[in-house]
Amino acid sequence: MSLVRFNRYALIGVGNTLIHWLTFLLLHLLVGLSQGASNLLAFLLAASVSYFMNAHYTFAVRARTRRYLMFLSGMGCLSLALGAFSDFARLSPWLTLVTFSMVSLIVGYAFSHTVVFKRRGL
């Protein structure tokens, strides 16, 4: 694991987290959507921005539709599952956001590094 890559990923993640949190709170608290739906929709918006920035700045690969859909599918399932569990367990929306942010930093980097943005032939 490259520390420089992880640091870039984490920095982009800060912006991604702000987008995700603001969107989640808007959808859940103001619009009234469930935590599951709010977390998934917020993730899709934030992850789209994050994907293209990480492809260019962190992993230096061309963004590709297949990779983009792979990233959204894998991490989107995690987002929806955590939000649905939070609804089921009646957890605080803040706990949902903090937990997803921590889990997605590590799982998202590992998934991105080993699967989504893996350079072929290296």
Side-chain angles (χ1 to χ4, degrees), residues 17 21 39 82 92-104:
T17 300
W21 284 39
N39 203 43
L82 185 74
S92 162
W94 293 105
L95 184 58
T96 302
L97 287 170
V98 169
T99 302
F100 181 73
S101 294
M102 291 186 319
V103 169
S104 68

Side-chain angles (χ1 to χ4, degrees), residues 81-114:
L82 185 74
F85 175 78
S86 296
D87 285 328
F88 174 78
R90 298 181 186 260
L91 299 178
S92 162
W94 293 105
L95 184 58
T96 302
L97 287 170
V98 169
T99 302
F100 181 73
S101 294
M102 291 186 319
V103 169
S104 68
L105 173 64
I106 303 302
V107 173
Y109 180 78
F111 184 57
S112 294
H113 178 69
T114 60

Side-chain angles (χ1 to χ4, degrees), residues 1 9 33 35 45 55 58 64 70 74 81 83 108 119:
M1 174 191 311
Y9 185 86
L33 292 180
Q35 290 189 67
L45 175 63
T58 304
R64 302 222 184 254
M70 184 185 312
R119 293 182 188 169

